Amino acid sequence: MSDEYFMKMALKLATRGRSWASPNPMVGALVVKKGKVIGRGWHRCCGESHAEVNAIADATQSVKDSTLYVTLEPCCHHGKTPPCTDLIIASKIPAMNIIDLSITIIVDTIDRIKTVCPYICD
């Protein structure tokens, strides 16, 4: 399976947040390990856990040494929920594929994650 295949799956998951995630964007995330999806998540509702957090929580095995596919860059600020970057770093996920890069926060996010996640494909 390819990066494109997994990203398309993440995009499909994102649509599950339609009508509920607003005013936040619809976001989907997958955790993939050795070519197999081990966790799925999407931003279900404004004020609740983000897609990345839900995908990591859904994982059927350790996410260490896996790849995270996410349709929007992980947040690195405190809002209604803690920063997703903190959980990603703590989970020791070494690779991430991101589809949409928002210049306003991507520099902080990427700088923070690159310390432990050297393989970020945007």
Side-chain angles (χ1 to χ4, degrees):
M1 311 260 179
S2 67
D3 289 336
E4 181 179 352
Y5 173 82
F6 291 124
M7 195 56 82
K8 284 181 180 178
M9 286 181 68
L11 284 166
K12 189 172 182 176
L13 277 172
T15 64
R16 293 184 181 185
R18 183 177 285 131
S19 301
W20 299 100
S22 183
N24 293 340
M26 295 182 294
V27 181
L30 289 176
V31 180
V32 177
K33 190 171 190 175
K34 297 180 182 173
K36 180 182 173 192
V37 175
I38 63 167
R40 295 173 174 82
W42 64 95
H43 184 51
R44 293 184 174 121
C45 185
C46 181
E48 293 184 6
S49 297
H50 293 173
E52 307 91 308
V53 173
N54 291 330
I56 292 168
D58 184 62
T60 57
Q61 57 183 280
S62 169
V63 298
K64 186 178 178 192
D65 299 325
S66 63
T67 299
L68 177 66
Y69 292 83
V70 62
T71 62
L72 187 70
E73 76 283 346
C75 67
C76 62
H77 62 275
H78 285 272
K80 292 181 181 177
T81 62
C84 294
T85 53
D86 289 354
L87 179 62
I88 294 165
I89 291 167
S91 298
K92 300 187 186 326
I93 296 174
M96 184 168 39
N97 285 284
I98 307 168
I99 248 186
D100 184 352
L101 303 177
S102 171
I103 296 302
T104 57
I105 66 170
I106 194 60
V107 172
D108 289 341
T109 300
I110 297 300
D111 287 348
R112 192 163 188 193
I113 291 177
K114 270 192 176 178
T115 60
V116 293
C117 181
Y119 305 106
I120 297 178
C121 304
D122 51 15

